[in-house]
Amino acid sequence: MDERLLSDNIAKLLERVRLSAEKSQRVTGDILVLAVSKNHPAEAIRTACQFGLGAFGESYLQEALTKMSQLGDLPISWHFIGPIQSNKTRAIAEHFDWVHSVDRGKIARRLSDHRPATMAPLNICLQVNISAEESKSGVSIAELPLLAREVLALPRLRLRGLMTIPAPSQDPVQQRAAFARLRLALGQIQALAPGIDTLSMGMSDDLEAAIAEGATILRVGTGIFGSRNR
Ligand SMILES: *Cc1c(COP(=O)(O)O)cnc(C)c1O
C-alpha cells in the first residue's frame, strides 16, 4: 500500500477518534487504536508503525506468525482477535500479548496451560454475543459471569474485559444500544475482581458509537489499511 495513503488514513482516523472522544468528554489517551492487519502484508504493518501505531490485531494464526517473524525488530503489541481452535492455543499463548476472542472455558484453560512462565500473564477479553445471533461466536450475557469466574481462576491469564462484534447496523441508535449492553455487562464482571478495564468494541464503521459508550480498544482494519483483497 502507498505510504502516503496509509499516513492519510491514520491521520483521518486519529482525528475521528479525537473528535468523538471530545464529544463524549473522554480522554483520547484512554482509547487504543488496534490496527487490524489481517490480509495485509508485513510491510504495511512496518509502515503503520513508522506513523505511530503500535498495536496490531490478527485473525489467522499462520499468517500472523509469518508476519511476526518478519517484524521481530519492532516493539509491537500483538492481539489475537479471530476464532480459536484448540490446536492453536499453544502458539497463540506463546506469541501474543492479548487475546480478544475467548468464549469458552476449554480454550481459556489451554491458553493458561500453554502460557510460558517467562512471559507476563496473557491479557484476555471475553467475546460476548451481544446481538444474540445464532451464527455468531461469543458467550451469551447469561453465561458470561460463569466464564469470567473461570478465567479469573486461571493463573497464567489476566482478565481485562469484554469484546463484541455486534450485528451490522447503519443506525447509530442501534449501534449504541448494542455497545451499551456490553458496557453494562462489563460493570457486572468488574464487581468480581480488580483490573477489569477493557471494552474492545467499535470498528471502522461504528467507532463513534463505540466511543460514546465507553470503548477503550477500537479494532480498525479498513479505516487504516483500506479494503482487504483476499
Ligand atoms: C476484521 C476485523 C475487524 C476490522 O474490521 P474493519 O471493518 O475492517 O475495521 C475488527 N474486529 C474483528 C474481530 C475483525 O475480525
Side-chain angles (χ1 to χ4, degrees):
M1 180 181 190
D2 181 58
E3 284 201 8
R4 173 77 184 280
L5 189 56
L6 186 54
S7 103
D8 284 355
N9 284 352
I10 293 171
K12 277 186 203 141
L13 177 78
L14 295 181
E15 182 60 10
R16 270 175 79 190
V17 172
R18 195 188 67 74
L19 282 173
S20 307
E22 197 173 84
K23 252 190 190 169
S24 305
Q25 297 176 312
R26 298 192 51 202
V27 179
T28 311
D30 292 345
I31 304 168
L32 173 73
V33 171
L34 176 64
V36 177
S37 43
K38 66 181 184 218
N39 299 132
H40 294 286
E43 279 320 302
I45 298 177
R46 186 174 290 281
T47 308
C49 269
Q50 281 162 9
F51 295 127
L53 299 183
F56 292 85
E58 292 280 341
S59 303
Y60 310 107
L61 178 63
Q62 270 318 313
E63 182 192 328
L65 294 179
T66 304
K67 286 185 243 183
M68 285 173 182
S69 72
Q70 296 170 293
L71 299 168
D73 56 316
L74 297 176
I76 291 175
S77 165
W78 292 101
H79 296 230
F80 192 82
I81 61 172
I84 307 171
Q85 297 152 274
S86 299
N87 62 350
K88 305 284 167 65
T89 50
R90 179 182 295 276
I92 291 171
E94 287 176 351
H95 289 96
F96 284 83
D97 303 292
W98 285 70
V99 179
H100 292 227
S101 42
V102 171
D103 64 0
R104 55 208 151 106
K106 179 186 173 192
I107 294 296
R109 287 192 296 277
R110 291 179 65 99
L111 288 171
S112 183
D113 288 347
H114 289 144
R115 182 65 167 179
T118 51
M119 298 174 84
L122 184 59
N123 293 295
I124 299 291
C125 289
L126 303 178
Q127 183 173 351
V128 178
N129 185 352
I130 207 79
S131 313
E133 291 171 283
E134 265 176 43
S135 57
K136 276 254 177 79
S137 38
V139 64
S140 67
I141 292 278
E143 290 166 275
L144 176 62
L146 196 65
L147 179 60
R149 281 199 187 85
E150 199 167 353
V151 169
L152 284 167
L154 291 168
R156 304 295 299 139
L157 303 186
R158 181 170 169 210
L159 181 60
R160 296 299 299 272
L162 304 178
M163 179 274 242
T164 198
I165 311 171
S169 165
Q170 303 299 327
D171 175 6
V173 175
Q174 272 187 35
Q175 290 173 355
R176 278 192 66 159
F179 293 140
R181 287 201 292 279
L182 197 71
R183 176 171 49 75
L184 291 173
L186 185 79
Q188 288 183 350
I189 68 160
Q190 277 174 328
L192 301 176
I196 301 176
D197 54 9
T198 301
L199 280 173
S200 167
M201 60 188 195
M203 310 198 272
S204 300
D205 294 332
D206 56 13
L207 63 88
E208 281 82 5
I211 290 172
E213 293 299 341
T216 63
I217 301 185
L218 307 169
R219 306 180 313 272
V220 182
T222 318
I224 293 171
F225 297 110
S227 57
R228 296 178 279 274
N229 344 302
R230 312 199 49 176

